Amino acid sequence: MFKNKKSSKLFFVTETKLTNDKTAALKHYNLKLQPEIFMTPLLTADYNGYQATFQEAMKLTIIIGQFFGLNPVTGISEIDTTKLRFQIQSYRFIYSLLSIIGQCTVVSFCLLKLFTDSNRNLSANSALVFNITNCITTILFLRVATRWPRLCQLISKTEASDPSIDRTLIKKCRVSCVVVLTMALLEHILSDLSSIAGIIDCQKGKNVYETFVVASSPWIFQYTGYSPYVAIFTQIIGIQFTFNWNFSDVFVICISFYLTSRLEQVNRRIESVFGKHAPSSFWRTLREDYSRITGLVRRVDDVIGSIIFISFANNLFFICLQLLHTLAEGIRRNPSCRLGEPDERPFQGYEQTVYFVYSFGFLIARSLAVSLIASRVHTASREPAHVLYFVPSTAYSVEVQRFLDQIHGDTIALSGLKFFNVKRGLVLTIAGTIVTYELVLMQFTGVSPTPSPSTITIPIFINSSYSKV
């Protein structure tokens, strides 16, 4: 059936040699040309029944998310997507619901502090923004969970007629998930280390853990007083908030990898006949394949559009906030509170600097990764036009024209609730927005790019807390 061409590692399908196991995947192709014309590489290297399913690509990401109360769907480890269920009686749903209740409780205390506190500047209330957006993220993932089984079953039907054979897809999703979340864990550790170092230096003799917990969530202990149970509760919710912030980006990245892979698989089929004569039926089949995948992109966008929106909004806000801190304070060493005594801090006063540089760099890198990887969906949807422009005039048909009209007449891209489409140009748009809002924030807060260190003290947000540097 297959003729292996070692130079390109592509399998070729002839009209008379289709085995039963491959016919099911390829029967929608109407191959009626002579062998020298229609021997088109329909599948990439080493097919051999291998399929990179959406269920398998997203499995690790979803399982890790469920540890933090996100996307409470049962049957995520099953191969059969019909076993996926969103069940209110499941432990996953109950855990997710309790997480939402706990997060809403923390947000309520933040709002109470906002209305009773006289200090209402932007940086001091950044914890409120952080907590509210990540609480909303948890709620949105619960909404996604109600639609996740149907989405996976729709994708599974598409894979049944047109299997995904990208061998790197699952690896890319898993590596991206592990790398981003590991870097997020390191960021959280540096944040806690920075806070603990300040407590050791300036509040020697006090209980370090108690002081650290109270400083992390002052809007709660201001009204409840310190309690070991409340302390554990605030730390669990704080970890969930931090994880949610990073997980929404990982979730968008992995789904973008899958959709891009599906579009590129169709593109490879189209590129294989570059400049060749092909019948109208062949172009009709490819156009139908393309339409099937673009329809899938729209369906996925309908489900995860809210996650994309809050992910981009969250990243934009904290990029502006951290950049404002850079302009206000710069990068410097924090002096010790105990002059003339040995400095017991791990980094000799550079804990805050190390955390800030790492956190800001990680935030920029993560935001760029989400934007560029998600924008590849739109880029891949436009690539077939290049091949269609070079169809010989003798082979040009109505189907080719319809294909071109479909590519140029419709925008295929992930979006944030239809407010914006994620394209490559969005990165420059965001950069311009950051500059604009940074100037507004500088005027709003009275920050100058060349301040006197003795006259400016601005609170900086640290994960689930804020402190002054």
Side-chain angles (χ1 to χ4, degrees), residues 319-439:
I319 287 175
C320 290
L321 184 66
Q322 294 204 26
L323 188 57
L324 179 67
H325 167 74
T326 302
L327 297 174
E329 288 288 326
I331 306 296
R332 60 183 176 82
R333 176 181 180 271
N334 288 336
S336 175
C337 294
R338 295 179 290 168
L339 300 178
E341 298 183 21
D343 196 338
E344 299 179 0
R345 293 175 294 181
F347 297 153
Q348 304 298 307
Y350 288 99
E351 294 83 8
Q352 181 69 36
T353 299
V354 171
Y355 161 70
F356 173 77
V357 171
Y358 177 84
S359 177
F360 189 49
F362 176 50
L363 176 58
I364 293 292
R366 198 178 72 233
S367 301
L368 281 174
V370 174
S371 300
L372 295 178
I373 293 173
S375 69
R376 289 176 59 194
V377 175
H378 175 259
T379 302
S381 71
R382 311 286 287 187
E383 289 179 359
H386 176 69
V387 177
L388 295 175
Y389 287 143
F390 287 88
V391 172
S393 57
T394 54
Y396 199 85
S397 64
V398 175
E399 288 298 334
V400 176
Q401 184 60 50
R402 289 182 65 187
F403 205 164
L404 279 170
D405 291 342
Q406 182 173 346
I407 293 171
H408 293 300
D410 198 3
T411 301
I412 305 301
L414 294 176
S415 69
L417 291 176
K418 309 299 182 183
F419 286 107
F420 59 88
N421 293 319
V422 184
K423 305 179 183 178
R424 295 184 70 86
L426 183 64
V427 176
L428 297 178
T429 303
I430 292 176
T433 303
I434 290 173
V435 173
T436 302
Y437 279 96
E438 202 62 38
L439 294 174

Side-chain angles (χ1 to χ4, degrees), residues 138-438:
T138 306
I139 296 172
L140 291 178
F141 268 107
L142 182 62
R143 177 177 176 270
V144 168
T146 62
R147 308 170 70 181
W148 191 256
R150 286 189 178 182
L151 176 63
C152 290
Q153 290 162 16
L154 174 63
I155 295 175
S156 180
K157 291 179 181 178
T158 303
E159 292 172 342
S161 60
D162 185 12
S164 174
I165 51 176
D166 184 356
R167 287 186 174 273
T168 64
L169 173 62
I170 295 176
K171 182 179 179 181
K172 286 190 294 186
C173 290
R174 291 178 177 176
V175 169
S176 299
C177 179
V178 172
V179 169
V180 173
L181 295 183
T182 300
M183 294 179 69
L185 176 62
L186 178 58
E187 180 191 25
H188 188 70
I189 292 173
L190 289 175
S191 171
D192 290 348
L193 179 64
S194 174
S195 299
I196 292 173
I199 294 171
I200 293 175
D201 183 59
C202 298
Q203 302 187 45
K204 189 174 182 180
K206 292 186 177 181
N207 185 296
V208 176
Y209 175 74
E210 179 179 339
T211 306
F212 167 73
V213 171
V214 172
S216 298
S217 304
W219 50 85
I220 293 180
F221 295 102
Q222 176 180 341
Y223 301 101
T224 65
Y226 178 78
S227 167
Y229 300 105
V230 177
I232 294 174
F233 167 75
T234 57
Q235 290 300 294
I236 291 175
I237 298 300
I239 291 173
Q240 286 186 334
F241 280 150
T242 304
F243 176 83
N244 290 1
W245 184 26
N246 295 275
F247 182 80
S248 57
D249 291 341
V250 174
F251 185 75
V252 174
I253 286 173
C254 291
I255 289 183
S256 299
F257 274 139
Y258 178 82
L259 295 176
T260 303
S261 174
R262 296 314 311 267
L263 286 167
E264 289 178 345
Q265 184 168 303
V266 175
N267 292 343
R268 285 193 294 270
R269 296 171 185 165
I270 298 173
E271 291 170 0
S272 66
V273 293
F274 182 84
K276 298 180 182 179
H277 289 264
S280 177
S281 58
F282 178 79
W283 291 116
R284 182 179 66 250
T285 300
L286 287 181
R287 183 178 58 80
E288 291 172 351
D289 290 342
Y290 178 84
S291 299
R292 185 183 302 110
I293 302 304
T294 55
L296 195 62
V297 173
R298 292 191 188 92
R299 177 58 179 163
V300 171
D301 184 58
D302 289 339
V303 174
I304 71 167
S306 56
I307 302 297
I308 296 174
F309 179 85
I310 200 165
S311 170
F312 276 77
N314 224 356
N315 290 341
L316 178 62
F317 175 82
F318 286 104
I319 287 175
C320 290
L321 184 66
Q322 294 204 26
L323 188 57
L324 179 67
H325 167 74
T326 302
L327 297 174
E329 288 288 326
I331 306 296
R332 60 183 176 82
R333 176 181 180 271
N334 288 336
S336 175
C337 294
R338 295 179 290 168
L339 300 178
E341 298 183 21
D343 196 338
E344 299 179 0
R345 293 175 294 181
F347 297 153
Q348 304 298 307
Y350 288 99
E351 294 83 8
Q352 181 69 36
T353 299
V354 171
Y355 161 70
F356 173 77
V357 171
Y358 177 84
S359 177
F360 189 49
F362 176 50
L363 176 58
I364 293 292
R366 198 178 72 233
S367 301
L368 281 174
V370 174
S371 300
L372 295 178
I373 293 173
S375 69
R376 289 176 59 194
V377 175
H378 175 259
T379 302
S381 71
R382 311 286 287 187
E383 289 179 359
H386 176 69
V387 177
L388 295 175
Y389 287 143
F390 287 88
V391 172
S393 57
T394 54
Y396 199 85
S397 64
V398 175
E399 288 298 334
V400 176
Q401 184 60 50
R402 289 182 65 187
F403 205 164
L404 279 170
D405 291 342
Q406 182 173 346
I407 293 171
H408 293 300
D410 198 3
T411 301
I412 305 301
L414 294 176
S415 69
L417 291 176
K418 309 299 182 183
F419 286 107
F420 59 88
N421 293 319
V422 184
K423 305 179 183 178
R424 295 184 70 86
L426 183 64
V427 176
L428 297 178
T429 303
I430 292 176
T433 303
I434 290 173
V435 173
T436 302
Y437 279 96
E438 202 62 38

